[in-house]
Amino acid sequence: MSGSKKMTLRVQSSEGTNRVEVLYSDVTAKLFERVYEIFHLNTFGFSLHKDRAHKEEIISSKSRQLREYGLQHGDMIYMSPVNGAVLFDQPSTSIETTNKSFGVEAKPSTSSASLIPTKGLKKQNVPQEDEVDLQLYQMSGNIQRQRDEKLCRHNSKGCCVHCSPLEPWDENYLKEHNIKHISFHSYLRKMTSGKFISLDELSCKIKPGCKEHPPWPRGICSTCQPGAVTLNRQPYRHVDNVLLEHAAPVDRFLAYWRATGHQRIGFLYGQYESHPDVPLGIRSRVAAIYEPPQECSRDHIALAPDDKEQLLNEIASRLGLRRVGWVFTDLMPLDLAAGTVKTVRGMDTHFLSAQECIMAGHYQNQHPNACRHASSGYFGSKFVTVCVTGDSQNQIHLEGYQVSGQCAALVRDDILVPTRDAPDLGYIRDCTPQQYVPDVYYKVGL
């Protein structure tokens, strides 16, 4: 019956100490939830340790119980933020200081005028991070390795350089497992190891408010002028895999093309979850495909206004789903009897056309990713693009993509446009009196 006994733990934080009542048999995730509620925290981005030196960490788990960590009634545990997370609302004493400076005691008031400044004390427009991000912040991300029988010279409880855990961005591990890009959270861990970072989106627009000269096109200076852009390969990706729960939605989506030969566009609804095969990776799990109003032909699609979009998103939210991406077809039949299609995309032609990249960047800008390390509260996007086309074996194949943050910024600032004669090439606008366009360079690998 000892597992049903209650115990009181003291939790020390930067804002003081509180008591938390739990059961010996409770899982550690229950302790994290109780700490979150009692301290009125903004996020789950915190860790708990048994010692002040933060060496014995209590991992949030739904399977491990508190008694496995040897916690006893009255023990003190220590809470600390993870990766610079802001756990508490920052209080402001401006009203209190003003009252004291005039020798007036601050008293509660019910007038509307006195309530207005109080509302301004609360944090405004703080984005809520996705649940999968909060879970990944609590994970160590280290890649565990087994003891090497040939190289390790210690017993089963020891550890050395040949079997110690690897960092989630280890290049050799990624090459061995054919992982082309590190995950976004691995990138954050690599950048924040031992230092604080602030992520900012690329901007190609003139900074407003410069008073040193007349506005563009009559003047520009180095202070307000956006810097030149050099296109580079993005080392990370926000979503590492796209998983379709079952084949029925895809079959219904392809039924229109099989019946008419016309191309089709749909929106993907699902959830984001952690990806077990990529260190600190994220997977987009698709449960349904919604086909909005559109005019289709064999080589053209035009989306029409959707009056049901708001209702659809509300229904999806009640089902625990959200819009996670979009899908389009680019299929041309090769042999109707055999059910094969032509191969039109690949290394020799293109994977995505310029127009499709611009469309992907447009949707990614509409669905920004909330990030605590971004100065604006948002950085990048988890919105995915899925192309249904023919593979090298002339079979129908689905391939997932995302454009880089640089491409999304060029699309957002209306700089990148498609070309008429080459679908694989994009065009950068020229400077005009109405719009300043910075220089855009790219590197050619040798």
Side-chain angles (χ1 to χ4, degrees):
M1 297 296 291
S2 61
S4 60
K5 289 184 178 180
K6 289 185 178 181
M7 64 174 171
T8 301
L9 300 175
R10 295 174 295 162
V11 184
Q12 187 180 91
S13 70
S14 60
E15 298 293 325
T17 303
N18 278 328
R19 290 181 173 86
V20 178
E21 289 189 357
V22 289
L23 300 178
Y24 281 90
S25 58
D26 282 342
V27 294
T28 56
K30 182 68 175 179
L31 173 62
F32 276 75
E33 294 175 0
R34 294 286 297 141
V35 171
Y36 176 85
E37 294 172 358
I38 290 180
F39 280 90
H40 304 287
L41 301 180
N42 295 328
T43 174
F44 276 95
F46 64 91
S47 59
L48 299 176
H49 296 81
K50 294 179 60 178
D51 59 329
R52 192 184 299 271
H54 294 175
K55 293 182 179 180
E56 301 181 33
E57 183 177 1
I58 302 174
I59 306 298
S60 176
S61 172
K62 294 185 178 180
S63 57
R64 297 194 64 178
Q65 297 181 350
L66 295 175
R67 57 187 172 190
E68 298 181 28
Y69 286 91
L71 294 173
Q72 300 296 328
H73 178 75
D75 283 354
M76 175 78 79
I77 57 179
Y78 303 90
M79 178 175 63
S80 59
V82 177
N83 293 331
V86 180
L87 301 180
F88 302 93
D89 288 330
Q90 300 299 323
S92 174
T93 57
S94 58
I95 297 179
E96 181 181 355
T97 305
T98 304
N99 290 333
K100 288 184 178 180
S101 63
F102 287 93
V104 180
E105 181 182 0
K107 297 181 179 180
S109 172
T110 58
S111 64
S112 59
S114 62
L115 293 177
I116 295 176
T118 307
K119 294 181 180 179
L121 297 178
K122 297 182 180 180
K123 298 171 69 176
Q124 299 290 333
N125 300 325
V126 177
Q128 178 64 37
E129 292 181 299
D130 294 336
E131 183 65 27
V132 64
D133 292 318
L134 299 178
Q135 295 175 3
L136 293 175
Y137 279 128
Q138 298 183 19
M139 298 172 59
S140 66
N142 291 333
I143 305 169
Q144 302 297 328
R145 295 191 293 176
Q146 300 296 327
R147 180 177 179 272
D148 194 310
E149 298 295 339
K150 296 181 179 179
L151 300 177
C152 296
R153 296 292 183 265
H154 52 79
N155 57 24
S156 59
K157 295 184 179 180
C159 186
C160 66
V161 294
H162 303 293
C163 61
S164 60
L166 300 175
E167 300 289 356
W169 58 84
D170 185 79
E171 294 183 1
N172 294 328
Y173 177 86
L174 298 178
K175 289 181 181 179
E176 291 175 2
H177 292 77
N178 196 26
I179 300 176
K180 190 175 181 181
H181 301 274
I182 64 175
S183 64
F184 179 62
H185 278 265
S186 296
Y187 173 78
L188 289 179
R189 299 289 177 89
K190 183 177 181 180
M191 298 299 294
T192 57
S193 55
K195 57 183 179 180
F196 174 78
I197 63 169
S198 179
L199 303 176
D200 295 300
E201 298 275 8
L202 173 67
S203 177
C204 301
K205 292 184 177 181
I206 297 177
K207 295 180 181 178
C210 186
K211 300 180 180 179
E212 300 297 328
H213 53 79
W216 174 264
R218 292 184 293 167
I220 194 172
C221 67
S222 58
T223 303
C224 61
Q225 179 183 8
V229 180
T230 300
L231 301 180
N232 295 310
R233 176 182 173 183
Q234 186 169 285
Y236 61 88
R237 54 189 177 189
H238 289 271
V239 174
D240 302 277
N241 182 260
V242 181
L243 174 66
L244 295 165
E245 288 188 350
H246 41 83
V250 180
D251 290 337
R252 287 194 295 267
F253 177 68
L254 294 178
Y256 183 87
W257 171 80
R258 292 190 175 107
T260 64
H262 294 177
Q263 310 304 329
R264 199 71 170 162
I265 279 182
F267 289 113
L268 307 175
Y269 281 82
Q271 298 173 328
Y272 296 113
E273 61 185 13
S274 60
H275 187 26
D277 298 333
V278 178
L280 297 178
I282 294 178
R283 177 168 60 191
S284 176
R285 177 183 289 270
V286 179
I289 300 177
Y290 168 70
E291 300 176 40
Q294 54 193 284
E295 297 180 2
C296 309
S297 66
R298 296 183 183 274
D299 55 1
H300 174 78
I301 303 175
L303 292 177
D306 189 0
D307 298 333
K308 300 180 181 179
E309 181 177 0
Q310 183 176 357
L311 176 61
L312 174 67
N313 291 333
E314 182 179 349
I315 295 175
S317 178
R318 294 186 178 184
L319 295 174
L321 304 177
R322 58 187 293 188
R323 186 175 292 187
V324 298
W326 69 298
V327 58
F328 67 93
T329 61
D330 183 18
L331 298 169
M332 290 184 291
L334 179 63
D335 188 343
L336 295 177
T340 56
V341 294
K342 294 182 179 180
T343 303
V344 296
R345 296 171 185 256
M347 296 183 61
D348 298 331
T349 54
H350 63 278
F351 293 100
L352 286 179
S353 68
Q355 180 62 59
E356 292 159 358
C357 289
I358 293 172
M359 195 77 168
H362 169 71
Y363 284 132
Q364 289 181 202
N365 290 327
Q366 284 187 339
H367 301 81
N369 174 60
C371 179
R372 65 183 62 173
H373 298 287
S375 57
S376 64
Y378 296 94
F379 186 81
S381 173
K382 295 189 184 76
F383 205 79
V384 298
T385 298
V386 177
C387 175
V388 185
T389 186
D391 60 9
S392 58
Q393 305 298 324
N394 300 114
Q395 301 297 319
I396 296 178
H397 176 68
L398 282 74
E399 195 71 35
Y401 299 96
Q402 276 191 307
V403 298
S404 66
Q406 288 182 325
C407 178
L410 296 177
V411 174
R412 181 196 62 227
D413 296 335
D414 196 23
I415 292 178
L416 180 64
V417 294
T419 56
R420 291 184 177 181
D421 51 351
D424 55 323
L425 297 179
Y427 182 77
I428 300 297
R429 293 183 185 272
D430 296 324
C431 280
T432 64
Q434 292 76 29
Q435 180 184 18
Y436 175 83
V437 178
D439 295 330
V440 179
Y441 304 99
Y442 65 94
K443 294 181 180 181
V444 178
L446 300 177

